[in-house]
Amino acid sequence: MSTKRIPFFNYKFFYENYRDEILAITDDILKRGAFILQQDTRDFEQHIADYLGVKYALSVANCTDGLEIALKATGITSGDEVIFPSHTFVATASAIHSNGAVPVPVECKKDHLIDPQAIEMAITDNTKAIIPVQLNGRTCDMDTIQRIADKHQLLIIEDAAQGLGSAFKNKKAGSFGLAAAISFYPAKILGCLGDGGIVLTDDDSVADRVYEIRDHGRSREGHMVGWGRNSRLDNLQAAILNRLFQDYDRVITRRRTIAAIYQEHLSHIDDLVLPPAPDSDPNHFDVYQNYEIESSYRDALEKHLNENGIGTLRQWGGITVHQMSALGLTKKLPFTEQMIARSLLLPMNLSITNEEIHYVCHKIEYFYENLIHFQPKNKNLSIENI
Ligand SMILES: *Cc1c(COP(=O)(O)O)cnc(C)c1O
């Protein structure tokens, strides 16, 4: 088989596919001079609110801002401890930190989502909130997390940056807890042409606060009601998102098909830990923002795939938040540390063809059938050794 070039993510793909429509939308917005908090933005917010079944969707400049504003709007303040999974983007923690609160990282479990038992063990008198992260396009077991939150009177703020369209027991990510935030960063499943995010809530007063904070402390009536900041989604991005969102169901179906192909071809390799297969658990509907596998030979497998033209990625650059020493969150989380040393993201995006996925699978099978005898295992060895 000849060598192919399969990028991990093809940032030019959308323009190549939607060029005429994007140019027409841009032309329309520029002609209308409709740049900030205009009708397209309100339409987009309504589409997302309807889709998730939440009362309020308020767009912001990016999801990091969304989380930070959601925490502020729900009253998280200086000295409050907020529990989150260390296996997340640093933005989850920085949103806590920038409110003066204390980020408390905890372990994930086998499916890479926050471990409810670890949440319970991390609760102190100062704990105020939990941020479950709907990672890799999968929603956490929100029943268990809600029970813990109720028992200890904690708020839930969801980081659903990677979760748009995923569900737990038919309830969508972004619709749990007091507030949530979703990202439209270009590589996210619904990605715009730059930065974008949205805050979700059912709560009237939280919605008012989010509305005010994102727009300089101005109320819906235009009155100054407190300190705010500027964090608004550009109306041009909203207009483009309105177009892309029309195809969203098809996008999710395609990603689930890709996951099913990976599952079919890779599940026989004992050493690999694959994400849960689509429909393997009736409680979960996964949308596969990422396809994160684990291998005892991660470094060698990564090198082999890259040498064969296949783009892969180490999520978060290969370290989780509590391991980023500059942040000072000193803690030992052995399961998470072992998982991230074994973790690799395979290509999972709309530009990849079935033939290309088969090529990726073939190269992985070849690695396990012919090459592993000469390869060092990753230092943290296999999952059974925990
Ligand atoms: C992408 C991401 C964010 C941040 O989103 P931005 O829109 O880039 O600010 C936060 N949390 C997680 C889990 C993410 O993947």
PDB file of all heavy atoms in Angstrom, residues 27-54:
ATOM      1  N   ASP A  27     -20.664  38.505   2.383  1.00  0.00           N
ATOM      2  CA  ASP A  27     -21.115  39.634   1.574  1.00  0.00           C
ATOM      3  C   ASP A  27     -22.392  40.243   2.154  1.00  0.00           C
ATOM      4  O   ASP A  27     -22.517  41.466   2.292  1.00  0.00           O
ATOM      5  CB  ASP A  27     -21.351  39.138   0.133  1.00  0.00           C
ATOM      6  CG  ASP A  27     -21.696  40.265  -0.812  1.00  0.00           C
ATOM      7  OD1 ASP A  27     -20.906  41.231  -0.882  1.00  0.00           O
ATOM      8  OD2 ASP A  27     -22.756  40.204  -1.462  1.00  0.00           O
ATOM      9  N   ASP A  28     -23.312  39.375   2.546  1.00  0.00           N
ATOM     10  CA  ASP A  28     -24.582  39.829   3.118  1.00  0.00           C
ATOM     11  C   ASP A  28     -24.367  40.592   4.434  1.00  0.00           C
ATOM     12  O   ASP A  28     -24.927  41.670   4.633  1.00  0.00           O
ATOM     13  CB  ASP A  28     -25.473  38.590   3.327  1.00  0.00           C
ATOM     14  CG  ASP A  28     -26.738  38.915   4.088  1.00  0.00           C
ATOM     15  OD1 ASP A  28     -27.451  39.855   3.675  1.00  0.00           O
ATOM     16  OD2 ASP A  28     -27.008  38.245   5.104  1.00  0.00           O
ATOM     17  N   ILE A  29     -23.519  40.025   5.314  1.00  0.00           N
ATOM     18  CA  ILE A  29     -23.268  40.672   6.612  1.00  0.00           C
ATOM     19  C   ILE A  29     -22.587  42.027   6.406  1.00  0.00           C
ATOM     20  O   ILE A  29     -22.949  43.020   7.040  1.00  0.00           O
ATOM     21  CB  ILE A  29     -22.379  39.764   7.509  1.00  0.00           C
ATOM     22  CG1 ILE A  29     -23.110  38.454   7.848  1.00  0.00           C
ATOM     23  CG2 ILE A  29     -21.930  40.501   8.772  1.00  0.00           C
ATOM     24  CD1 ILE A  29     -24.249  38.595   8.809  1.00  0.00           C
ATOM     25  N   LEU A  30     -21.606  42.061   5.513  1.00  0.00           N
ATOM     26  CA  LEU A  30     -20.884  43.320   5.289  1.00  0.00           C
ATOM     27  C   LEU A  30     -21.813  44.378   4.700  1.00  0.00           C
ATOM     28  O   LEU A  30     -21.783  45.541   5.092  1.00  0.00           O
ATOM     29  CB  LEU A  30     -19.686  43.091   4.368  1.00  0.00           C
ATOM     30  CG  LEU A  30     -18.589  42.142   4.866  1.00  0.00           C
ATOM     31  CD1 LEU A  30     -17.372  42.183   3.946  1.00  0.00           C
ATOM     32  CD2 LEU A  30     -18.162  42.460   6.290  1.00  0.00           C
ATOM     33  N   LYS A  31     -22.670  43.949   3.778  1.00  0.00           N
ATOM     34  CA  LYS A  31     -23.620  44.907   3.186  1.00  0.00           C
ATOM     35  C   LYS A  31     -24.570  45.462   4.244  1.00  0.00           C
ATOM     36  O   LYS A  31     -24.949  46.631   4.202  1.00  0.00           O
ATOM     37  CB  LYS A  31     -24.436  44.226   2.092  1.00  0.00           C
ATOM     38  CG  LYS A  31     -23.742  44.211   0.738  1.00  0.00           C
ATOM     39  CD  LYS A  31     -24.688  43.611  -0.295  1.00  0.00           C
ATOM     40  CE  LYS A  31     -24.003  43.415  -1.629  1.00  0.00           C
ATOM     41  NZ  LYS A  31     -24.515  42.211  -2.305  1.00  0.00           N
ATOM     42  N   ARG A  32     -24.963  44.576   5.161  1.00  0.00           N
ATOM     43  CA  ARG A  32     -25.898  45.020   6.212  1.00  0.00           C
ATOM     44  C   ARG A  32     -25.193  45.778   7.333  1.00  0.00           C
ATOM     45  O   ARG A  32     -25.836  46.382   8.180  1.00  0.00           O
ATOM     46  CB  ARG A  32     -26.621  43.806   6.802  1.00  0.00           C
ATOM     47  CG  ARG A  32     -27.718  43.254   5.900  1.00  0.00           C
ATOM     48  CD  ARG A  32     -28.611  42.300   6.682  1.00  0.00           C
ATOM     49  NE  ARG A  32     -28.090  40.946   6.739  1.00  0.00           N
ATOM     50  CZ  ARG A  32     -28.003  40.206   7.845  1.00  0.00           C
ATOM     51  NH1 ARG A  32     -28.375  40.700   9.004  1.00  0.00           N
ATOM     52  NH2 ARG A  32     -27.536  38.987   7.797  1.00  0.00           N
ATOM     53  N   GLY A  33     -23.859  45.683   7.370  1.00  0.00           N
ATOM     54  CA  GLY A  33     -23.121  46.324   8.468  1.00  0.00           C
ATOM     55  C   GLY A  33     -23.524  45.749   9.818  1.00  0.00           C
ATOM     56  O   GLY A  33     -23.557  46.447  10.835  1.00  0.00           O
ATOM     57  N   ALA A  34     -23.818  44.449   9.848  1.00  0.00           N
ATOM     58  CA  ALA A  34     -24.386  43.822  11.061  1.00  0.00           C
ATOM     59  C   ALA A  34     -23.296  43.039  11.787  1.00  0.00           C
ATOM     60  O   ALA A  34     -23.119  41.857  11.548  1.00  0.00           O
ATOM     61  CB  ALA A  34     -25.541  42.902  10.661  1.00  0.00           C
ATOM     62  N   PHE A  35     -22.556  43.701  12.667  1.00  0.00           N
ATOM     63  CA  PHE A  35     -21.347  43.091  13.205  1.00  0.00           C
ATOM     64  C   PHE A  35     -21.460  42.548  14.635  1.00  0.00           C
ATOM     65  O   PHE A  35     -20.876  41.513  14.944  1.00  0.00           O
ATOM     66  CB  PHE A  35     -20.193  44.100  13.153  1.00  0.00           C
ATOM     67  CG  PHE A  35     -19.894  44.541  11.740  1.00  0.00           C
ATOM     68  CD1 PHE A  35     -19.862  45.889  11.414  1.00  0.00           C
ATOM     69  CD2 PHE A  35     -19.676  43.611  10.744  1.00  0.00           C
ATOM     70  CE1 PHE A  35     -19.598  46.296  10.108  1.00  0.00           C
ATOM     71  CE2 PHE A  35     -19.414  44.006   9.440  1.00  0.00           C
ATOM     72  CZ  PHE A  35     -19.375  45.356   9.127  1.00  0.00           C
ATOM     73  N   ILE A  36     -22.145  43.273  15.514  1.00  0.00           N
ATOM     74  CA  ILE A  36     -22.120  42.904  16.932  1.00  0.00           C
ATOM     75  C   ILE A  36     -23.556  42.758  17.455  1.00  0.00           C
ATOM     76  O   ILE A  36     -24.371  43.667  17.295  1.00  0.00           O
ATOM     77  CB  ILE A  36     -21.398  43.986  17.786  1.00  0.00           C
ATOM     78  CG1 ILE A  36     -19.953  44.206  17.292  1.00  0.00           C
ATOM     79  CG2 ILE A  36     -21.419  43.632  19.272  1.00  0.00           C
ATOM     80  CD1 ILE A  36     -18.992  43.076  17.576  1.00  0.00           C
ATOM     81  N   LEU A  37     -23.855  41.592  18.092  1.00  0.00           N
ATOM     82  CA  LEU A  37     -25.154  41.337  18.734  1.00  0.00           C
ATOM     83  C   LEU A  37     -26.326  41.702  17.815  1.00  0.00           C
ATOM     84  O   LEU A  37     -27.231  42.447  18.200  1.00  0.00           O
ATOM     85  CB  LEU A  37     -25.251  42.077  20.082  1.00  0.00           C
ATOM     86  CG  LEU A  37     -24.251  41.644  21.161  1.00  0.00           C
ATOM     87  CD1 LEU A  37     -24.446  42.468  22.442  1.00  0.00           C
ATOM     88  CD2 LEU A  37     -24.368  40.153  21.496  1.00  0.00           C
ATOM     89  N   GLN A  38     -26.284  41.176  16.605  1.00  0.00           N
ATOM     90  CA  GLN A  38     -27.364  41.433  15.647  1.00  0.00           C
ATOM     91  C   GLN A  38     -28.262  40.199  15.505  1.00  0.00           C
ATOM     92  O   GLN A  38     -28.100  39.211  16.206  1.00  0.00           O
ATOM     93  CB  GLN A  38     -26.756  41.841  14.302  1.00  0.00           C
ATOM     94  CG  GLN A  38     -25.986  43.154  14.384  1.00  0.00           C
ATOM     95  CD  GLN A  38     -26.855  44.320  14.833  1.00  0.00           C
ATOM     96  OE1 GLN A  38     -27.864  44.616  14.200  1.00  0.00           O
ATOM     97  NE2 GLN A  38     -26.478  44.980  15.929  1.00  0.00           N
ATOM     98  N   GLN A  39     -29.178  40.251  14.547  1.00  0.00           N
ATOM     99  CA  GLN A  39     -30.203  39.218  14.416  1.00  0.00           C
ATOM    100  C   GLN A  39     -29.614  37.819  14.222  1.00  0.00           C
ATOM    101  O   GLN A  39     -30.123  36.836  14.763  1.00  0.00           O
ATOM    102  CB  GLN A  39     -31.146  39.552  13.238  1.00  0.00           C
ATOM    103  CG  GLN A  39     -32.394  38.678  13.182  1.00  0.00           C
ATOM    104  CD  GLN A  39     -33.226  38.790  14.460  1.00  0.00           C
ATOM    105  OE1 GLN A  39     -33.439  39.878  14.987  1.00  0.00           O
ATOM    106  NE2 GLN A  39     -33.678  37.649  14.985  1.00  0.00           N
ATOM    107  N   ASP A  40     -28.524  37.707  13.453  1.00  0.00           N
ATOM    108  CA  ASP A  40     -27.927  36.383  13.210  1.00  0.00           C
ATOM    109  C   ASP A  40     -27.463  35.756  14.517  1.00  0.00           C
ATOM    110  O   ASP A  40     -27.541  34.543  14.698  1.00  0.00           O
ATOM    111  CB  ASP A  40     -26.744  36.528  12.234  1.00  0.00           C
ATOM    112  CG  ASP A  40     -27.163  37.308  10.998  1.00  0.00           C
ATOM    113  OD1 ASP A  40     -27.629  36.691  10.029  1.00  0.00           O
ATOM    114  OD2 ASP A  40     -27.087  38.566  11.041  1.00  0.00           O
ATOM    115  N   THR A  41     -26.950  36.597  15.408  1.00  0.00           N
ATOM    116  CA  THR A  41     -26.504  36.115  16.725  1.00  0.00           C
ATOM    117  C   THR A  41     -27.703  35.642  17.529  1.00  0.00           C
ATOM    118  O   THR A  41     -27.668  34.558  18.129  1.00  0.00           O
ATOM    119  CB  THR A  41     -25.760  37.251  17.478  1.00  0.00           C
ATOM    120  OG1 THR A  41     -24.706  37.720  16.648  1.00  0.00           O
ATOM    121  CG2 THR A  41     -25.198  36.749  18.794  1.00  0.00           C
ATOM    122  N   ARG A  42     -28.758  36.423  17.528  1.00  0.00           N
ATOM    123  CA  ARG A  42     -29.967  36.021  18.273  1.00  0.00           C
ATOM    124  C   ARG A  42     -30.558  34.733  17.674  1.00  0.00           C
ATOM    125  O   ARG A  42     -30.997  33.837  18.407  1.00  0.00           O
ATOM    126  CB  ARG A  42     -31.011  37.153  18.272  1.00  0.00           C
ATOM    127  CG  ARG A  42     -30.595  38.348  19.130  1.00  0.00           C
ATOM    128  CD  ARG A  42     -31.730  39.358  19.296  1.00  0.00           C
ATOM    129  NE  ARG A  42     -31.979  40.122  18.071  1.00  0.00           N
ATOM    130  CZ  ARG A  42     -31.307  41.234  17.728  1.00  0.00           C
ATOM    131  NH1 ARG A  42     -30.365  41.716  18.517  1.00  0.00           N
ATOM    132  NH2 ARG A  42     -31.599  41.866  16.618  1.00  0.00           N
ATOM    133  N   ASP A  43     -30.552  34.631  16.359  1.00  0.00           N
ATOM    134  CA  ASP A  43     -31.053  33.403  15.712  1.00  0.00           C
ATOM    135  C   ASP A  43     -30.222  32.199  16.132  1.00  0.00           C
ATOM    136  O   ASP A  43     -30.761  31.141  16.459  1.00  0.00           O
ATOM    137  CB  ASP A  43     -30.985  33.527  14.180  1.00  0.00           C
ATOM    138  CG  ASP A  43     -31.999  34.517  13.639  1.00  0.00           C
ATOM    139  OD1 ASP A  43     -32.912  34.920  14.400  1.00  0.00           O
ATOM    140  OD2 ASP A  43     -31.870  34.896  12.454  1.00  0.00           O
ATOM    141  N   PHE A  44     -28.898  32.369  16.115  1.00  0.00           N
ATOM    142  CA  PHE A  44     -28.020  31.252  16.479  1.00  0.00           C
ATOM    143  C   PHE A  44     -28.276  30.823  17.928  1.00  0.00           C
ATOM    144  O   PHE A  44     -28.379  29.626  18.225  1.00  0.00           O
ATOM    145  CB  PHE A  44     -26.555  31.641  16.274  1.00  0.00           C
ATOM    146  CG  PHE A  44     -25.609  30.545  16.667  1.00  0.00           C
ATOM    147  CD1 PHE A  44     -25.647  29.315  16.020  1.00  0.00           C
ATOM    148  CD2 PHE A  44     -24.699  30.726  17.698  1.00  0.00           C
ATOM    149  CE1 PHE A  44     -24.785  28.278  16.397  1.00  0.00           C
ATOM    150  CE2 PHE A  44     -23.839  29.703  18.069  1.00  0.00           C
ATOM    151  CZ  PHE A  44     -23.885  28.477  17.423  1.00  0.00           C
ATOM    152  N   GLU A  45     -28.381  31.787  18.812  1.00  0.00           N
ATOM    153  CA  GLU A  45     -28.645  31.460  20.224  1.00  0.00           C
ATOM    154  C   GLU A  45     -29.955  30.682  20.356  1.00  0.00           C
ATOM    155  O   GLU A  45     -30.039  29.719  21.127  1.00  0.00           O
ATOM    156  CB  GLU A  45     -28.678  32.758  21.055  1.00  0.00           C
ATOM    157  CG  GLU A  45     -27.308  33.427  21.131  1.00  0.00           C
ATOM    158  CD  GLU A  45     -27.309  34.784  21.828  1.00  0.00           C
ATOM    159  OE1 GLU A  45     -28.387  35.418  21.922  1.00  0.00           O
ATOM    160  OE2 GLU A  45     -26.228  35.216  22.268  1.00  0.00           O
ATOM    161  N   GLN A  46     -30.948  31.095  19.582  1.00  0.00           N
ATOM    162  CA  GLN A  46     -32.241  30.404  19.639  1.00  0.00           C
ATOM    163  C   GLN A  46     -32.124  28.972  19.109  1.00  0.00           C
ATOM    164  O   GLN A  46     -32.691  28.034  19.689  1.00  0.00           O
ATOM    165  CB  GLN A  46     -33.293  31.193  18.832  1.00  0.00           C
ATOM    166  CG  GLN A  46     -34.719  30.742  19.102  1.00  0.00           C
ATOM    167  CD  GLN A  46     -35.089  30.879  20.587  1.00  0.00           C
ATOM    168  OE1 GLN A  46     -34.919  31.945  21.169  1.00  0.00           O
ATOM    169  NE2 GLN A  46     -35.549  29.794  21.209  1.00  0.00           N
ATOM    170  N   HIS A  47     -31.374  28.790  18.028  1.00  0.00           N
ATOM    171  CA  HIS A  47     -31.178  27.437  17.472  1.00  0.00           C
ATOM    172  C   HIS A  47     -30.549  26.510  18.514  1.00  0.00           C
ATOM    173  O   HIS A  47     -30.971  25.363  18.682  1.00  0.00           O
ATOM    174  CB  HIS A  47     -30.250  27.469  16.245  1.00  0.00           C
ATOM    175  CG  HIS A  47     -30.823  28.168  15.053  1.00  0.00           C
ATOM    176  ND1 HIS A  47     -32.151  28.079  14.700  1.00  0.00           N
ATOM    177  CD2 HIS A  47     -30.245  28.954  14.119  1.00  0.00           C
ATOM    178  CE1 HIS A  47     -32.355  28.804  13.608  1.00  0.00           C
ATOM    179  NE2 HIS A  47     -31.222  29.334  13.235  1.00  0.00           N
ATOM    180  N   ILE A  48     -29.523  27.013  19.188  1.00  0.00           N
ATOM    181  CA  ILE A  48     -28.809  26.177  20.167  1.00  0.00           C
ATOM    182  C   ILE A  48     -29.706  25.912  21.387  1.00  0.00           C
ATOM    183  O   ILE A  48     -29.769  24.787  21.884  1.00  0.00           O
ATOM    184  CB  ILE A  48     -27.477  26.843  20.596  1.00  0.00           C
ATOM    185  CG1 ILE A  48     -26.520  26.926  19.386  1.00  0.00           C
ATOM    186  CG2 ILE A  48     -26.817  26.077  21.744  1.00  0.00           C
ATOM    187  CD1 ILE A  48     -26.008  25.602  18.862  1.00  0.00           C
ATOM    188  N   ALA A  49     -30.417  26.932  21.836  1.00  0.00           N
ATOM    189  CA  ALA A  49     -31.322  26.745  22.982  1.00  0.00           C
ATOM    190  C   ALA A  49     -32.380  25.691  22.650  1.00  0.00           C
ATOM    191  O   ALA A  49     -32.661  24.797  23.455  1.00  0.00           O
ATOM    192  CB  ALA A  49     -31.979  28.081  23.357  1.00  0.00           C
ATOM    193  N   ASP A  50     -32.958  25.769  21.456  1.00  0.00           N
ATOM    194  CA  ASP A  50     -33.991  24.804  21.048  1.00  0.00           C
ATOM    195  C   ASP A  50     -33.395  23.396  20.958  1.00  0.00           C
ATOM    196  O   ASP A  50     -34.004  22.421  21.398  1.00  0.00           O
ATOM    197  CB  ASP A  50     -34.580  25.184  19.681  1.00  0.00           C
ATOM    198  CG  ASP A  50     -35.393  26.472  19.747  1.00  0.00           C
ATOM    199  OD1 ASP A  50     -35.709  26.915  20.881  1.00  0.00           O
ATOM    200  OD2 ASP A  50     -35.689  27.034  18.678  1.00  0.00           O
ATOM    201  N   TYR A  51     -32.220  23.311  20.369  1.00  0.00           N
ATOM    202  CA  TYR A  51     -31.577  22.009  20.160  1.00  0.00           C
ATOM    203  C   TYR A  51     -31.284  21.319  21.487  1.00  0.00           C
ATOM    204  O   TYR A  51     -31.468  20.098  21.615  1.00  0.00           O
ATOM    205  CB  TYR A  51     -30.283  22.236  19.371  1.00  0.00           C
ATOM    206  CG  TYR A  51     -29.474  21.007  19.068  1.00  0.00           C
ATOM    207  CD1 TYR A  51     -29.927  20.042  18.177  1.00  0.00           C
ATOM    208  CD2 TYR A  51     -28.218  20.831  19.654  1.00  0.00           C
ATOM    209  CE1 TYR A  51     -29.161  18.929  17.881  1.00  0.00           C
ATOM    210  CE2 TYR A  51     -27.448  19.719  19.360  1.00  0.00           C
ATOM    211  CZ  TYR A  51     -27.923  18.767  18.475  1.00  0.00           C
ATOM    212  OH  TYR A  51     -27.156  17.662  18.187  1.00  0.00           O
ATOM    213  N   LEU A  52     -30.828  22.111  22.474  1.00  0.00           N
ATOM    214  CA  LEU A  52     -30.449  21.517  23.760  1.00  0.00           C
ATOM    215  C   LEU A  52     -31.624  21.433  24.726  1.00  0.00           C
ATOM    216  O   LEU A  52     -31.521  20.773  25.760  1.00  0.00           O
ATOM    217  CB  LEU A  52     -29.319  22.332  24.408  1.00  0.00           C
ATOM    218  CG  LEU A  52     -28.012  22.407  23.617  1.00  0.00           C
ATOM    219  CD1 LEU A  52     -26.986  23.237  24.377  1.00  0.00           C
ATOM    220  CD2 LEU A  52     -27.456  21.014  23.349  1.00  0.00           C
ATOM    221  N   GLY A  53     -32.707  22.125  24.402  1.00  0.00           N
ATOM    222  CA  GLY A  53     -33.833  22.152  25.331  1.00  0.00           C
ATOM    223  C   GLY A  53     -33.527  22.961  26.581  1.00  0.00           C
ATOM    224  O   GLY A  53     -33.909  22.589  27.686  1.00  0.00           O
ATOM    225  N   VAL A  54     -32.806  24.080  26.421  1.00  0.00           N
ATOM    226  CA  VAL A  54     -32.551  24.973  27.560  1.00  0.00           C
ATOM    227  C   VAL A  54     -33.255  26.309  27.309  1.00  0.00           C
ATOM    228  O   VAL A  54     -33.590  26.654  26.175  1.00  0.00           O
ATOM    229  CB  VAL A  54     -31.033  25.224  27.793  1.00  0.00           C
ATOM    230  CG1 VAL A  54     -30.320  23.937  28.129  1.00  0.00           C
ATOM    231  CG2 VAL A  54     -30.392  25.910  26.590  1.00  0.00           C
TER     232      VAL A  54
END
